[in-house]
Amino acid sequence: MGSLAPPLADPKTISPTDLLHLFKSQQSHLNFFFNNIDISQALTFSQTLLNTKGTIFFTGVGKSGFVAQKLSQTFVSLGIRSGFLSPLDALHGDIGIFSQSDVLVLFSKSGNTEELLRLVPCVKAKGAYLISVTSLQVNLLMGVCDFNVHLPLERELCPFDLAPVTSTAIQMVFGDTVAVALMGARNFTRDQYSSNHPAGRIGKSLIFKVRDVMKKQNELPICNEGDMIMDQLVELTSKGCGGLLVIDDEQHLLGTFTDGDLRRTLKSSGEGIFKLTVGEMCNRNPRTIEPEAMAIDAMKKMESLPSPVQFLPVVKDQNILIGIVTLHGLVSMGL
């Protein structure tokens, strides 16, 4: 069996007051960035990326490199041609990917990162456009790149003002905000976003409609209003939907009868349940949903107050029953 780490003889603690102070300090440092950013630089940067005909590459070293990788992935997810370039690999062959229509964005807090400075003349020789994103007012990168964006940095939250825990935060905020600006300028739609995220809850919630996930035909637990309740127990339990769909001869939905209704009827009527029809005890005004509705909206409708339900009948024109969607089914598929 696995074992837990032994308790420390002298366990360390963090003061709630100290932690709150740190959060407020970080908020203050981020506000310094927001209050001092040069919006004209940010706009020029955004317009340049928006009108780039080639690929937008991001690069950086250390923590700034992680930010560059993340931003590249964000741009790709929005349908924008983008990639991350390792400064080291670039100097060993990867620089061959550049063309004159590309842009390279170099993230560096100091703007004096040696690996990036070595990279600049090589990329320039390929004809690509270079943009440095730095926080020091005066630095070497801004002097050798085609354009520089200054990200105002008051100080790092680190007590030594060394660990890049604030500078990387503003790099991420800046890059992600520009990405959203490009979404709007490109009229990027919800459907386009969903097509780029086919897996996971995000994609499923944006792609799947009720018609894609509903049970239909022989899978439906259906009965007529004149059927005796006790005669429909098999139908009620065998389809795994948690209820019955009560219809007429023309497939119009008349109501629903759930396993909860069964328990309540049995409790209130006792042996009288043997004489009751489904139509006498069913809910004549159930929640329903249309086949073209989003599956995630069906889930929200089932979970809505005051009384959540386990399934929704799916109906089309004139309340014709065509299917059923269950909460269990939606959860099982990852919604």
Side-chain angles (χ1 to χ4, degrees):
M1 297 295 289
S3 60
L4 297 175
L8 298 175
D10 182 23
K12 303 294 188 293
T13 61
I14 297 175
S15 164
T17 302
D18 291 343
L19 186 59
L20 179 60
H21 174 72
L22 287 172
F23 278 120
K24 289 184 175 181
S25 295
Q26 183 75 313
Q27 181 184 35
S28 176
H29 300 330
L30 293 176
N31 284 338
F32 178 86
F33 162 74
F34 291 124
N35 294 333
N36 292 279
I37 187 171
D38 186 335
I39 194 63
S40 64
Q41 287 186 355
L43 182 59
T44 299
F45 177 80
S46 302
Q47 295 279 24
T48 300
L49 299 193
L50 177 63
N51 294 300
T52 296
K53 301 301 182 182
T55 302
I56 302 168
F57 291 96
F58 293 88
T59 190
V61 175
K63 307 301 186 297
S64 293
F66 290 124
V67 173
Q69 289 184 57
K70 188 273 178 189
L71 292 177
S72 171
Q73 293 167 354
T74 295
F75 275 58
V76 169
S77 75
L78 301 178
I80 301 171
R81 289 199 302 276
S82 181
F84 171 74
L85 182 73
S86 163
L88 178 61
D89 293 339
L91 297 177
H92 290 272
D94 285 2
I95 201 171
I97 198 172
F98 280 99
S99 69
Q100 293 182 352
S101 58
D102 296 332
V103 170
L104 175 62
V105 181
L106 304 94
F107 278 94
S108 171
K109 172 188 172 182
S110 69
N112 298 316
T113 308
E114 183 179 347
E115 294 89 342
L116 298 184
L117 289 169
R118 289 203 305 266
L119 178 62
V120 167
C122 303
V123 178
K124 272 193 169 183
K126 291 286 185 177
Y129 190 81
L130 278 69
I131 303 176
S132 56
V133 182
T134 60
S135 287
L136 285 189
Q137 287 281 6
V138 179
N139 60 77
L140 297 176
L141 270 180
M142 66 185 296
V144 295
C145 289
D146 298 298
F147 184 71
N148 176 259
V149 178
H150 173 66
L151 302 185
L153 175 65
E154 185 176 33
R155 61 157 290 145
E156 300 286 2
L157 183 64
C158 166
F160 312 120
D161 195 19
L162 294 176
V165 292
T166 303
S167 56
T168 50
I170 64 176
Q171 287 175 347
M172 193 76 77
V173 167
F174 174 77
D176 282 340
T177 303
V178 169
V180 174
L182 267 60
M183 284 179 67
R186 291 161 55 92
N187 296 315
F188 194 71
T189 67
R190 182 185 180 96
D191 288 341
Q192 288 174 312
Y193 187 82
S194 65
S195 69
N196 293 342
H197 297 76
R201 191 173 188 273
I202 292 177
K204 291 174 182 177
S205 67
L206 294 173
I207 293 176
F208 289 112
K209 295 185 176 183
V210 169
R211 58 176 165 79
D212 300 319
V213 298
M214 69 182 187
K215 294 184 177 183
K216 47 194 173 183
Q217 297 177 349
N218 293 335
E219 299 177 295
L220 301 183
I222 57 175
C223 68
N224 296 315
E225 60 179 333
D227 293 336
M228 305 302 294
I229 291 177
M230 298 309 291
D231 292 340
Q232 293 301 315
L233 291 184
V234 173
E235 187 74 5
L236 175 64
T237 57
S238 63
K239 299 296 177 66
C241 296
L244 293 169
L245 305 175
V246 188
I247 58 174
D248 63 15
D249 293 338
E250 296 179 341
Q251 298 295 308
H252 293 102
L253 179 70
L254 303 178
T256 60
F257 184 81
T258 69
D259 49 10
D261 292 328
L262 175 64
R263 290 191 296 270
R264 286 186 288 272
T265 302
L266 185 59
K267 182 177 180 180
S268 63
S269 302
E271 293 183 2
I273 196 173
F274 290 98
K275 301 178 181 180
L276 294 174
T277 64
V278 177
E280 292 178 277
M281 303 305 296
C282 72
N283 174 14
R284 295 278 180 169
N285 188 32
R287 300 177 201 176
T288 62
I289 198 160
E290 296 180 349
E292 293 304 311
M294 301 305 296
I296 190 67
D297 291 331
M299 173 177 280
K300 291 176 181 177
K301 194 169 188 178
M302 280 187 265
E303 294 176 333
S304 63
L305 298 176
S307 54
V309 296
Q310 297 299 309
F311 65 85
L312 291 175
V314 183
V315 296
K316 61 178 184 179
D317 300 336
Q318 299 177 337
N319 216 37
I320 298 294
L321 178 71
I322 61 171
I324 186 173
V325 59
T326 67
L327 184 61
H328 178 268
L330 295 179
V331 171
S332 297
M333 65 175 292
L335 284 173

